[in-house]
Amino acid sequence: MLNEAVLLVLWLLLLLPALAYALRPRDGAVLAPARLAVVRASVLLGAYAVGVVEAASAFTELTAPTLLIAWLAATLAVFAAVLVRAVRDVTPAGGSAGRGQPFDALREELRSRRGATRRTWRRTKSAAAAAPAWQWALGCVIAILAISVAVLAIGSSPNNFDSQTYHLPRIEHWIQNASVAVYPTDIHRQVDIGPGSEYLLTHLRLLSGGDGAYNLLQFLAGIGAALAASRIAAQLGGGPVAQLATVFILATTPEVLLQASSTQVDLVAAAWVACLATIVLDEFTRPGEALLRATAPRSDAVYLGLALGLIAVTKSTGLLAAAPLLLIWGIGRLVRDGRRRRPCLCGRSPQRCSRADASRAAAARAATVAASLAVLAIALVLVGPFLLRMHQAFGHPLGPEILRDSIGVQTADPRLLLINGLRIAQTNLDTPLFFLSDGFAAAVNGLANLMGVDPNDPRITFGSSEFPVRAWYPDEDRAAFPITGLAALAGLVWFAVKGPGLRRAYAAALAVAFIGVVCTVSWQPWVNRLVMFLVVLGAPAAGLLAAALVKGFAATARERGRRRAACVLVTVVAVVASLAGVLTVAYGYPRRLAGTWSVFSVTDLEERFVRRQEWLPQYEEAAAAVAAVDPERVGIVQGNDSWEYPWWILLPEDTELYALQSVVPDQNPPDPATMDAIVCAEDLDECANLVPAGWEYHDLGTVAYAVPPAQP
């Protein structure tokens, strides 16, 4: 099953570079065109995957044959696009290749490009050979960490806590129902949390027949996020050193490393946000000649709309960064349109030229407004079906009240919002140097008391959580990122103080996004993973600052001393970051390469239950007893945070599972008497009440099961 999954991923990955070739921009049109082509291809394929799931569900045909046909069609379409692009590349401008000559021209073009590729490769090798040793060291650290995470992603079974509860069970329900329509469940997050990442996993599940490739989605998202972040660094004026530093910073961030082998969704959402950000910056970073030729490429609106839709359907918190970035894009276009002037034609009076300029400016502004509306319309096409289902099921497009109240901030009191922001910052920057973390936490609590507010006020706190918590340990749900956070903060402050206008606008967008998080997301112990998109967007600022600090030595002795001190600081930070990255992949939780519970020393089931080892024997015993009665339909009883996914793994493959409780309005669960067996997790009192009279009920502690009486 794993081999099939890996082959499937390779097939899909082959489409990416092919489509990137077909979508690559003209030479000289943008900075880093190859990376932009990959971003465009990723956004287009992601949107296609989401659209296929929604379209198939509309006809209750979310099945393996349907998706196979969809991807075969996509492969043919990409192949055709590659041929069209290849022919267009060899066709002379303003003419045609001539009858019977296109393929000869194509062969000649391929030979030419092969030669150019060889020359580029030789130049790259020469540049690499001339690169300082410290750059090679950074590259080696990045490569080692990437390979290590890839091993974890391929060799580990899904064992994220939330994935056991709702990320992965919802996929099994969709496949069982052949639709993503709302279904009865007692775990509301299975139906009301953004499903974009799970839509992508559904393709892997149906086409491979299992979950062996699930972890690779976030691994590839991590690579995509780093690629987009490095391009952002280039767009903000960073050279190769700044871009390398940006990738290094992300590659050594513990939360990024942990999520890159997980079935969480935060890294996927962050990658879509980074894609949107780099497309936005194209508006301001095109070379002058390309900008004069372009009427701001219409394709930007298409890709921005697709990226925005993918963000909205995957994780809505990403919209907190998307909104200010798109605002900058729109304002930038309007300003450019207002300044656009063309020379008067011979024989025209200045007055007529002024009227013509005004007319062109008005038309350009109208085009910008139309492009902005197109961005929103395209995004709505992707996320609209999900929002419509939420409105129909819960009377609100953002889902049930319990979801909005539990996650969102419930006050506009500036004192509480300040405390919420400081608590989030303290949790982000937590370190094993407890005197620092404890001092920061004590200062936050002291300020709250001074202002007369409760630092754990339920209006800004998730559930019964209490601040502070230890977040420095490399756990995928709460790992802090003090090095990345402080470096990004320093870089953004540097942008605001000394940067040109684009850098200042970028820093302002990230500041607005963080304020948006503070005003909308309640503090919680796992808040660090909820701001993953800010980590990715902040890395380029840190990369540019690091490059500026190590950039050569100045002329005077005093300035040389400052440069040396800066280089020492950057070196120390790089060494500590490298050590943190290596320890994270070696001993991170719940997937690790070394020590007890290493991926190499546990079985598949043991790995799935790393977080709750004591539950495994109970799940196995209950599943074996239920399988013995050869059931076709099994009822599930559980609480809002129970693990449902293990039942889908342990029970026979052809068994249908149905929730016997439902918090979804107008979605009534089936009668327990219509089931062939019942399994329960945690909510055992409710389970005992639902068991039909005369059935055999067995309480195992955390897990229980019930089967009909044996037939005589």
Side-chain angles (χ1 to χ4, degrees), residues 607-625:
E607 191 169 23
R608 293 178 186 272
F609 282 83
V610 164
R611 285 197 178 274
R612 294 293 185 271
Q613 302 165 27
E614 68 279 8
W615 289 357
L616 176 57
Q618 298 182 39
Y619 269 90
E620 287 186 303
E621 180 179 347

Side-chain angles (χ1 to χ4, degrees), residues 124-151:
T124 302
K125 286 200 302 182
S126 299
W134 64 267
Q135 293 186 22
W136 275 99
L138 295 186
C140 288
V141 171
I142 294 170
I144 291 171
L145 293 176
I147 293 171
S148 300
V149 174
V151 170

Side-chain angles (χ1 to χ4, degrees), residues 12-158:
L12 298 179
L13 284 180
L14 286 176
L15 292 180
L16 185 65
L19 185 59
Y21 167 77
L23 297 176
R24 82 183 194 279
R26 299 185 310 273
D27 292 339
V30 293
L31 295 175
R35 279 174 278 180
L36 176 60
V38 174
V39 166
R40 288 178 172 179
S42 301
V43 168
L44 194 57
L45 287 177
Y48 178 76
V50 170
V52 166
V53 169
E54 289 287 3
S57 296
F59 298 96
T60 320
E61 289 293 339
L62 187 58
T63 61
T66 300
L67 298 191
L68 181 60
I69 292 171
W71 283 108
L72 288 175
T75 302
L76 293 175
V78 170
F79 180 71
V82 168
L83 286 180
V84 170
R85 181 57 186 265
V87 172
R88 189 172 65 185
D89 284 346
V90 301
T91 301
S96 62
R99 183 175 299 177
Q101 297 179 0
F103 290 103
D104 293 337
L106 179 58
R107 283 194 294 270
E108 183 63 29
E109 176 69 13
L110 289 176
R111 281 194 292 269
S112 174
R113 288 188 177 275
R114 190 158 52 244
T117 301
R118 290 195 184 108
R119 290 191 295 272
T120 301
W121 174 246
R122 284 194 292 269
R123 287 195 300 269
T124 302
K125 286 200 302 182
S126 299
W134 64 267
Q135 293 186 22
W136 275 99
L138 295 186
C140 288
V141 171
I142 294 170
I144 291 171
L145 293 176
I147 293 171
S148 300
V149 174
V151 170
L152 284 174
I154 295 173
S156 301
S157 300

Side-chain angles (χ1 to χ4, degrees), residues 43-44 46-48 50-51 54 195-196 199 272 276 299-316 318-319 322-323 326 329 370-388:
V43 168
L44 194 57
Y48 178 76
V50 170
E54 289 287 3
Y199 281 178
W272 296 137
L276 182 139
S299 61
D300 279 5
V302 174
Y303 293 115
L304 286 174
L306 294 176
L308 181 63
L310 288 169
I311 294 168
V313 79
T314 301
K315 203 172 186 72
S316 58
L319 297 175
L326 287 174
W329 176 78
S372 301
L373 294 176
V375 170
L376 297 177
I378 294 170
L380 193 59
V381 169
L382 286 179
V383 73
F386 171 69
L387 297 180
L388 180 60

